[in-house]
Amino acid sequence: MHTLLSSKWLASKWTKAVLFLLCLGPLAAIIWPFVRGYTIPNPLEFIQHATGDWTLRFLVITLSITPLRQLLRLPELIRFRRMFGLFAFFYACLHFTTYLWFDKVFDVHEIWKDVYKRSFITVGFLAFTLLIPLAITSTAGWIRRLGGRRWRILHRAIYISAGW
Ligand code: HEM
């Protein structure tokens, strides 16, 4: 009964829509203080850290879907995995854009120096680069074209991104 009820609830299109809006919550929370004109001592650091934290959180949420499906016996959870993964990529893009635009103002020389010298930037850069093919190939068309098996192998790269 419990499973039946929750399965029905999880299969509803409304659940997905509500979750989608909830996933936009962190973005709203980042923008809100600026809209209200609150004093933020270090706006760059605030955005860089908030977007970085949420990228990592969404990667962890995405990775926890498969074990949770088995643990809770709720196979329907699969419906949300791609959405969470793409939100991880969305926040990673914001995180990276913050760095490129607000921190380095697209100064290629400065960026190259950073990638070379500061190891966490090197690692972040690699992790982000790995997520790009995953986001591109997340559509049904790409999964079909690659074939299920090859797609799964490619998407295991998320473990490397999250691990870093
Ligand atoms: C999958 C990719 C990435 C993840 C999961 C990630 C995650 C994080 C996290 C969790 C933080 C710390 C936030 C905090 O302290 O609250 C952070 C900080 C930061 N990240 Fe990333 N990051 C990624 C990619 C990148 C990339 C590509 C760049 C730039 C090339 C970058 C640049 C930075 C910078 C500059 C900071 C601030 C460090 C500081 O203020 O000390 N990250 N990131």
Side-chain angles (χ1 to χ4, degrees):
M1 186 63 185
H2 153 78
T3 315
L4 247 174
L5 262 182
S6 40
S7 300
K8 207 172 139 195
W9 186 77
L10 285 175
S12 152
K13 64 172 192 269
W14 292 107
T15 311
K16 201 165 186 179
V18 169
L19 274 177
F20 183 88
L21 290 177
L22 278 178
C23 291
L24 286 172
L27 176 65
I30 293 169
I31 296 173
W32 186 245
F34 293 96
V35 175
R36 294 307 309 263
Y38 297 149
T39 320
I40 303 162
N42 190 339
L44 173 65
E45 194 180 290
F46 169 72
I47 303 176
Q48 191 79 69
H49 284 208
T51 50
D53 287 345
W54 280 102
T55 304
L56 194 58
R57 281 177 197 143
F58 275 105
L59 280 174
V60 171
I61 294 172
T62 310
L63 285 174
S64 62
I65 294 286
T66 301
L68 278 181
R69 283 175 78 205
Q70 284 156 15
L71 220 65
L72 305 175
R73 300 213 180 97
L74 287 173
E76 298 83 1
L77 284 175
I78 195 68
R79 297 185 57 231
F80 312 115
R81 193 175 62 181
R82 172 165 57 192
M83 184 172 76
F84 287 135
L86 287 175
F87 266 109
F89 183 65
F90 172 66
Y91 283 101
C93 287
L94 294 179
H95 186 62
F96 192 40
T97 310
T98 309
Y99 170 81
L100 290 184
W101 194 356
F102 301 119
D103 197 351
K104 300 293 168 196
V105 206
F106 299 110
D107 182 335
V108 178
H109 184 67
E110 271 292 305
I111 294 166
W112 185 240
K113 241 174 47 193
D114 241 10
V115 172
Y116 191 67
K117 267 201 191 147
R118 293 159 85 193
S119 56
F120 79 95
I121 299 271
T122 321
V123 164
F125 210 89
L126 287 172
F128 178 69
T129 313
L130 269 177
L131 287 178
I132 297 172
L134 300 193
I136 293 172
T137 60
S138 65
T139 59
W142 266 104
I143 299 173
R144 205 178 43 239
R145 239 170 296 158
L146 282 171
R149 205 178 75 87
R150 266 188 291 171
W151 182 83
R152 275 199 306 276
I153 292 171
L154 175 65
H155 278 240
R156 286 200 188 118
I158 193 176
Y159 296 112
I160 306 172
S161 280
W164 269 337

